[in-house]
Amino acid sequence: MSEETPNSVTLEKDGNVAVVIVNNPPVNALSWHVREGLANHFAAALADDSVEAIVLRCDGSTFIAGADISEFGKAPRGPDFNAVLNSIEQATKPVVAAIHGTALGGGLETALVCHYRVAVPSAKLGVPEVKLGLLPGAGGTQRLPRVVGVEAAATMTSLGDPVPAPKAKDMGLVDALAGEDSLAADAIAFARTKIADGPRPTRERAVFGDVAIIEQLKTANAKRWRGFDAPYANLACVEAATRLPFDEGLAFERQEFTKLMFGSQSAAQRHIFFAERQAAKIDGLPKDTALRDVKKVGVIGAGTMGGGISMNFLQKGIPVTIVEMQQEALDRGVGVIRKNYEASAAKGRFKPEQVEAMMGILTPTLNIEDLADCDLIIEAVYENMDVKKEIFAKLDSIAKPGAILASNTSYLDVDEIATATSRPGDVLGMHFFSPANVMKLLEVVRGEKTAPDALATAMAIGKKIGKVAVVAGVCDGFIGNRMLKPRQVEAMNLLMEGATPQQIDKVHVDFGMPMGPFQMSDLAGVDIGWHRDPTRIESIRDALAAKGRWGQKTGKGFYDYDEKRNPTPSAEVAEIIEDFRQHSNKAKREISDQEIIERTLYPMVNEGALILTEGKAQRASDIDVVWIYGYGWPVYRGGPMFWAGLEGTDKIVAALEKHGFAVAPLLKEKAEAKSGF
Ligand code: 3HC
């Protein structure tokens, strides 16, 4: 062992059983020194004649949770992982993995080279590499089909979801369940029972199961995997295991792993793994800032947003008081919540009694004074500054001291809203995305006077209800909607110059977005923000709204829709566009797909650069998180700011200048340095 090696692996002995212990907090990742420690201590245990069996276990909260992702892309250090695993598998004494917490990725691959596996019932085992744009690159795709069969191996590798230990036992992945508090001792006892049987190298076991599952998985997940390379590479490796000898299968796996590892998709997905965790950190705020207690939540407004927001808390067992002005609206809102839960229950997501328990902690009321005992109050009424200020002034007199007063506004000035109260330190924005019970993003808007503990509490409660929370500063549209604006403006300009809604949407969908700008307008409602005067027609959008083309809800918008909401291009819309073009004297020309990218996506990067310069986002990766979780930006492109680096900031600046955009100084700087964000 080299001198600087941390002592992350140790060796103990319990009679005739050697116990190799990994201790590499926080998640026992397979950093170079762990690999080195494993190699050395296994060699020592094998060389010791008094040792008849070996147990591998971990200290801390978990078994090995995978390769050390932070080492990826760096110069290799320490022994090769596959070589270490091969030496464990070829051990001449039986080796038992003792699993608690999560055995993930390289962690499960380590457990798979052990000859036997015992686990506590609360443990989870899986190969989530696909979620990082990768595949299990240390034999996982070749050993799993030999242990759990082709069906389970194909499913586990391509979907990446972990399996609970009791199920893993049924699948043959775990040989025995241990006591929750006696894993170390139970594993040693189990190892002793295997001394007579001897080693059972996984590579020598036969692959079993039906390879037909591979095509079935591809068909079932075609939509979900659109644009992704990794799920298909995982399946190709499992398929290879069914026809190639072990070592050839391993070589194929290595080749596929290397392709993914050095490709842009995995780089993007790894970036998002860390970006998501980084987003939770608030600059300038100590990690141990004391949080406020949030035991009860109030929601003002029982419309789509208010109802969806409430559902998040009810699902976590946090009581919600929901306020409306009219009984009818209140009943309708509560009815929608129940209907949504019952629909989920019908799909098996909840038990009927869980639905009743959630509805049982929802208190509907017409009296805003009932919010007096709430620790967090979220206002979710329509976007009007005067209305919001009136509500916050009322809350100021009703809410208990220390209650957090949040607005779900999607673009209004949170600082101005805060002036309606005598406690601006308690005021912030909590911007949920529709449907609020489904979408993962939460923008937490930090006002000028928002108290640090109020901000930290809002971020923590966001995490508790399963959201990815990102801090945004006060500006029109915060991070997400502010960047959406230039995209929408330019999409409309392109229509005037000769592009069609379907061409622009297709470019965005081919890029990997779930839908394009016009499909999004039709879904959200073309009439949103419309002045409601059918005689005042100043834009293509006004013309559509005046003709009742409000989008999917009226069966027509930028597209025509059938009863099943299938879109077809609209002759009427084409005429409206043509009419506007002629009146504006714009010449119609052929627009290339590349120009659509340059004029709709590059300006988003530009706006992102301005947001960063103004300090409205803490870091570029936060912007990426917003776009991945709030708008469906393809995760394999890492978010707009990461993508700018892939695309080349110099190329982006040149194109923006060519099209006459004012380029943000920060973006120019990056282009000159030929760097990303
Ligand atoms: N490598 C490096 N750091 C890791 C890591 C890993 N594999 N997994 C987690 N971390 C870090 C996180 O970045 C975080 O760091 P921070 O505190 O500085 O932000 C810290 O460990 C704690 O992680 P979480 O906040 O995610 O803790 P949780 O308790 O919520 O979750 C977990 C724990 C379930 C293990 C989760 O971290 C996880 O899913 N990790 C990734 C697991 C994974 O993908 N493994 C496969 C890796 S690829 C591989 O093994 C390739 C192989 O086939 C060759």
Side-chain angles (χ1 to χ4, degrees):
M1 216 182 280
S2 59
E3 239 177 69
E4 59 187 319
T5 305
N7 205 16
S8 52
V9 186
T10 49
L11 180 65
E12 285 176 5
K13 262 178 77 179
D14 185 302
N16 57 348
V17 177
V19 184
V20 177
I21 303 165
V22 177
N23 184 7
N24 185 29
V27 297
N28 286 320
L30 288 154
S31 313
W32 65 271
H33 44 89
V34 173
R35 300 195 301 275
E36 190 169 88
L38 285 173
N40 292 337
H41 289 305
F42 266 93
L46 288 170
D48 183 341
D49 288 341
S50 68
V51 169
E52 294 185 275
I54 305 169
V55 167
L56 169 65
R57 71 165 179 83
C58 294
D59 276 344
S61 61
T62 180
F63 191 75
I64 300 164
D68 185 340
I69 309 168
S70 64
E71 285 183 356
F72 289 2
K74 296 189 185 149
R77 188 173 181 192
D80 173 68
F81 185 35
N82 270 299
V84 175
L85 293 189
N86 284 340
S87 70
I88 297 176
E89 186 173 47
Q90 279 158 5
T92 49
K93 302 168 185 181
V95 181
V96 176
I99 300 169
H100 73 295
T102 45
L104 297 177
L108 183 58
E109 291 175 298
T110 307
L112 281 168
V113 295
C114 296
H115 306 135
Y116 304 93
R117 287 159 290 281
V118 297
V120 296
S122 60
K124 289 195 173 120
L125 298 85
V127 270
E129 282 89 339
V130 70
K131 296 184 182 175
L132 296 169
L134 291 171
L135 53 85
T141 66
Q142 304 304 297
R143 289 190 177 93
L144 267 177
R146 289 170 160 82
V147 175
V148 296
V150 178
E151 289 91 340
T155 308
M156 285 177 74
T157 54
S158 65
L159 295 177
D161 298 326
V163 176
K167 187 172 171 209
K169 170 135 191 318
D170 294 343
M171 293 161 66
L173 184 54
V174 162
D175 297 285
L177 291 176
E180 221 41 88
D181 299 319
S182 55
L183 177 64
D186 291 356
I188 291 170
F190 181 88
R192 287 203 173 100
T193 69
K194 293 295 169 192
I195 292 171
D197 296 348
R200 181 183 60 170
T202 304
R203 63 167 62 215
E204 288 170 16
R205 295 168 70 177
V207 173
F208 62 96
D210 188 351
V211 79
I213 183 73
I214 291 183
E215 287 313 310
Q216 289 162 14
L217 279 165
K218 285 184 192 168
T219 309
N221 293 288
K223 201 168 158 204
R224 175 173 175 181
W225 292 346
R226 188 173 66 90
F228 285 90
D229 294 338
Y232 297 98
N234 272 279
L235 291 176
C237 290
V238 173
E239 192 275 332
T242 66
R243 58 184 168 80
L244 296 179
F246 184 81
D247 283 323
E248 283 178 38
L250 214 55
F252 181 73
E253 179 195 87
R254 179 102 312 246
Q255 173 195 315
E256 293 299 297
F257 179 80
T258 309
K259 265 196 250 165
L260 292 177
M261 173 66 108
F262 294 102
S264 65
Q265 292 204 353
S266 177
Q269 289 178 255
R270 286 176 346 241
H271 161 73
I272 288 300
F273 176 86
F274 288 115
E276 187 184 327
R277 283 156 181 79
Q278 186 71 11
K281 292 169 188 139
I282 308 168
D283 284 347
L285 215 69
K287 229 181 152 185
D288 54 356
T289 300
L291 300 181
R292 301 187 191 183
D293 229 5
V294 178
K295 293 212 176 82
K296 197 164 183 195
V297 172
V299 174
I300 305 175
T304 314
M305 274 326 268
I309 292 170
S310 303
M311 289 175 74
N312 291 302
F313 294 98
L314 299 175
Q315 270 156 243
K316 292 290 166 194
I318 302 171
V320 174
T321 301
I322 190 164
V323 188
E324 254 300 343
M325 308 247 287
Q326 307 290 338
Q327 188 67 45
E328 204 197 335
L330 187 62
D331 292 345
R332 196 172 45 234
V334 172
V336 170
I337 295 179
R338 174 174 280 283
K339 214 175 91 207
N340 286 343
Y341 279 148
E342 283 173 353
S344 299
K347 287 185 204 144
R349 255 197 80 207
F350 298 120
K351 296 193 184 98
E353 55 272 26
Q354 280 176 302
V355 174
E356 292 317 314
M358 292 187 290
M359 293 309 291
I361 53 170
L362 176 66
T363 310
T365 177
L366 296 175
N367 185 4
I368 196 167
E369 312 257 332
D370 290 347
L371 299 178
D373 63 345
C374 291
D375 306 298
L376 163 67
I377 302 172
I378 305 170
E379 162 279 308
V381 305
Y382 61 99
E383 294 284 41
N384 178 303
M385 181 54 90
D386 293 338
V387 175
K388 294 204 189 250
K389 279 168 95 171
E390 201 181 305
I391 289 174
F392 274 76
K394 247 189 227 158
L395 287 180
D396 195 26
S397 64
I398 295 167
K400 69 180 187 189
I404 296 173
L405 310 181
S407 172
N408 177 49
T409 180
S410 48
Y411 62 90
L412 293 176
D413 184 338
V414 173
D415 290 331
E416 190 179 341
I417 295 175
T419 59
T421 73
S422 62
R423 36 176 140 175
D426 296 338
V427 178
L428 44 75
M430 285 179 83
H431 179 209
F432 290 81
F433 286 69
S434 187
N437 55 320
V438 178
M439 296 298 288
K440 294 262 293 177
L441 180 65
L442 173 68
E443 279 181 330
V444 176
V445 185
R446 180 183 205 166
E448 203 190 328
K449 295 193 176 149
T450 303
D453 64 335
L455 179 68
T457 304
M459 293 292 285
I461 195 91
K463 185 169 184 198
K464 186 163 182 187
I465 60 174
K467 302 294 178 201
V468 180
V470 174
V471 178
V474 176
C475 59
D476 187 26
F478 314 125
I479 298 173
N481 285 344
R482 175 168 166 182
M483 286 169 70
L484 190 63
K485 207 166 171 187
R487 187 187 91 162
Q488 301 298 94
V489 166
E490 211 50 28
M492 294 306 282
N493 288 341
L494 282 160
L495 289 187
M496 300 283 279
E497 293 170 44
T500 60
Q502 42 283 11
Q503 184 194 4
I504 296 169
D505 284 344
K506 184 172 183 304
V507 169
H508 281 243
V509 171
D510 288 349
F511 181 80
M513 301 294 293
M515 61 186 97
F518 299 102
Q519 290 161 324
M520 191 172 162
S521 288
D522 276 2
L523 184 68
V526 176
D527 59 318
I528 286 188
W530 181 41
H531 47 63
R532 314 241 146 216
D533 177 358
T535 61
R536 199 177 123 202
I537 295 177
E538 289 154 6
S539 66
I540 294 176
R541 193 174 263 273
D542 286 349
L544 260 62
K547 285 188 184 305
R549 302 195 70 99
W550 292 5
Q552 290 196 18
K553 60 188 169 190
T554 57
K556 52 184 187 172
F558 282 96
Y559 295 85
D560 290 333
Y561 293 90
D562 64 15
E563 326 67 64
K564 288 190 181 144
R565 299 202 169 191
N566 290 316
T568 41
S570 158
E572 187 177 40
V573 171
E575 251 174 57
I576 292 172
I577 296 169
E578 193 53 46
D579 197 36
F580 263 89
R581 188 184 301 121
Q582 281 177 9
H583 279 95
S584 67
N585 284 331
K586 283 226 165 166
K588 186 172 179 175
R589 62 184 174 88
E590 208 46 46
I591 307 270
S592 70
D593 290 354
Q594 179 59 26
E595 181 172 346
I596 292 173
I597 299 265
E598 290 172 4
R599 288 180 52 190
T600 56
L601 298 183
Y602 290 2
M604 291 177 57
V605 173
N606 200 38
E607 196 65 39
L610 291 174
I611 288 173
L612 276 177
T613 307
E614 291 168 27
K616 304 299 179 190
Q618 299 191 94
R619 44 189 95 86
S621 62
D622 281 10
I623 298 178
D624 291 333
V625 170
V626 163
W627 271 82
I628 299 274
Y629 289 108
Y631 301 83
W633 182 281
V635 61
Y636 57 79
R637 293 195 199 268
M641 306 315 277
F642 183 84
W643 173 71
L646 292 178
E647 189 77 351
T649 43
D650 49 347
K651 180 176 157 196
I652 293 177
V653 167
L656 286 172
E657 283 174 344
K658 179 180 80 187
H659 295 299
F661 290 93
V663 178
L666 178 62
L667 178 54
K668 261 194 194 155
E669 251 173 56
K670 299 284 178 194
E672 272 153 28
K674 289 199 182 316
S675 78
F677 283 89

